[in-house]
């Protein structure tokens, strides 16, 4: 719509100018444009070629690639476009592209993670400090993964395995006490397979006999990690859950 409006506006302006001048003047020749590389754009073909180049470059930049051998890139572009002999098979070319994009993605993800760790450093420290103090409380036990749990109500039923389906009631809160979810509020328990939830739950629920109620204190790395979850759980959040294991459904 904006493009159409622009065309109409330009056309209308031209019409007014012609009406006022009452004569048609000859078009001035397009002056040559010199780019920063010394290449001179003299024709519409030059402009189109350069435009395609910038478009391809912008697209490649979004992949996370930081540099390429531009002379060889142009060679490959020319060979493919003109039907010349290509130096790599389609399979070899695709493998090179996949490897480069994978490497670029890893570098980009590491950079983003480092930046996020600085950004969310207060949340990370808050979680670490809380867990350090919490593990000193009577009744709180800590596993090798860093998961902390407290038995609120003992149970006498069977314990589930990682591949079992279970039925639970739960309430989840942040360290500041803000509740982000509760099956009690939904009015019914939830059923799921243990290996389909966050690692802290997968590990913790296997410690619980059916009929018991535990309180879990879950570090961010076995909860929702550096990404968090939706608007309610910020990245790097340590979480607290009260969980009732109502039933083990089996595999």
């Amino acid at each position: 719509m904006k493009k159409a409006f622009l065309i109409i506006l330009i056309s209308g302006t031209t019409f007014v100018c012609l009406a006022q001048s009452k004569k048609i003047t000859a078009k001035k020749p397009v002056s040559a444009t010199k780019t920063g590389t010394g290449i001179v754009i003299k024709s519409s073909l030059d402009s189109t070629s350069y435009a395609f180049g910038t478009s391809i470059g912008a697209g490649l930049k979004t992949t996370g690639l930081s540099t390429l051998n531009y002379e060889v890139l142009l060679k490959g572009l020319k060979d493919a476009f003109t039907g010349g002999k290509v130096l790599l098979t389609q399979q070899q070319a695709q493998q090179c592209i996949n490897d480069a994009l994978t490497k670029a993605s890893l570098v980009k993800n590491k950079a983003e993670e480092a930046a996020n760790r600085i950004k969310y450093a207060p949340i990370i420290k808050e979680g670490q400090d809380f867990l350090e103090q919490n593990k000193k409380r009577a009744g709180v036990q800590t596993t090798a993964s860093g998961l902390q749990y407290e038995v609120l109500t003992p149970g006498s039923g069977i314990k589930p395995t990682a591949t079992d389906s279970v039925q639970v009631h739960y309430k989840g809160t942040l360290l500041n006490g803000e509740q982000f979810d509760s099956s009690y509020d939904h009015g019914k328990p939830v059923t799921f397979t243990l290996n389909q939830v966050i690692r802290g739950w997968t590990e913790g629920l296997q410690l619980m006999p059916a009929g018991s109620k535990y309180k879990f204190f879950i570090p961010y790395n076995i909860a929702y990690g550096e990404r968090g979850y939706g608007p309610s759980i910020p990245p790097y959040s340590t979480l607290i859950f009260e969980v009732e294991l109502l039933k083990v459904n089996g595999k």
Side-chain angles (χ1 to χ4, degrees):
M1 182 62 72
K2 288 184 179 179
K3 185 176 180 181
F5 175 76
L6 183 61
I7 292 172
I8 293 170
L9 181 60
I10 293 172
S11 299
T13 304
T14 304
F15 175 77
V16 172
C17 292
L18 290 175
Q20 288 177 346
S21 63
K22 295 184 179 180
K23 64 179 181 178
I24 301 175
T25 57
K27 293 183 178 179
K28 294 181 179 180
V30 178
S31 59
T33 302
K34 189 173 182 180
T35 68
T37 59
I39 296 175
V40 178
I41 296 177
K42 298 180 180 179
S43 64
S44 60
L45 177 60
D46 293 344
S47 297
T48 301
S49 300
Y50 190 77
F52 271 112
T54 57
S55 178
I56 293 171
L60 288 172
K61 191 173 182 179
T62 63
T63 64
L65 293 171
S66 58
T67 187
L68 289 168
N69 186 324
Y70 306 116
E71 183 178 349
V72 179
L73 170 67
L74 291 175
K75 169 65 174 171
L77 181 63
K78 183 178 180 180
D79 288 347
F81 193 76
T82 61
K85 182 180 179 181
V86 294
L87 305 179
L88 298 174
T89 66
Q90 185 175 359
Q91 184 177 2
Q92 289 172 327
Q94 189 61 55
Q95 186 62 52
C96 288
I97 292 171
N98 290 344
D99 291 345
L101 293 182
T102 298
K103 183 178 179 180
S105 179
L106 289 174
V107 171
K108 183 179 179 182
N109 289 343
K110 286 182 179 179
E112 290 178 350
E113 184 177 348
N116 281 338
R117 287 186 69 86
I118 295 173
K119 179 180 178 181
Y120 293 102
I123 294 180
I124 296 174
K125 187 175 187 307
E126 179 187 29
Q128 291 172 339
D129 291 346
F130 171 83
L131 293 170
E132 186 63 30
Q133 293 301 315
N134 190 60
K135 70 181 183 181
K136 299 175 183 178
R137 290 196 304 111
V140 174
Q141 301 186 59
T142 305
T143 69
S145 70
L147 171 69
Q148 296 179 3
Y149 67 95
E150 181 180 5
V151 179
L152 302 180
T153 304
S156 58
I158 63 172
K159 293 181 180 180
T161 67
T163 56
D164 282 338
S165 168
V166 296
Q167 185 182 75
V168 306
H169 256 314
Y170 70 94
K171 179 179 74 173
T173 61
L174 303 176
L175 292 184
N176 62 8
E178 181 180 344
Q179 179 179 296
F180 55 81
D181 197 11
S182 171
S183 63
Y184 300 103
D185 291 350
H186 300 321
K188 60 180 180 180
V190 296
T191 300
F192 54 85
T193 303
L194 281 192
N195 57 12
Q196 296 178 338
V197 291
I198 59 174
R199 286 171 52 202
W201 270 44
T202 301
E203 178 185 354
L205 279 160
Q206 291 182 79
L207 303 172
M208 298 178 65
S212 63
K213 183 176 182 178
Y214 280 28
K215 194 169 188 177
F216 295 130
F217 309 90
I218 306 180
Y220 76 84
N221 61 301
I222 54 174
Y224 291 100
E226 67 275 6
R227 298 189 180 279
Y229 188 79
S232 302
I233 303 178
Y236 297 98
S237 290
T238 294
L239 305 178
I240 301 175
F241 286 96
E242 290 184 11
V243 182
E244 286 185 82
L245 179 54
L246 304 176
K247 183 180 178 182
V248 177
N249 299 317
K251 293 180 174 54

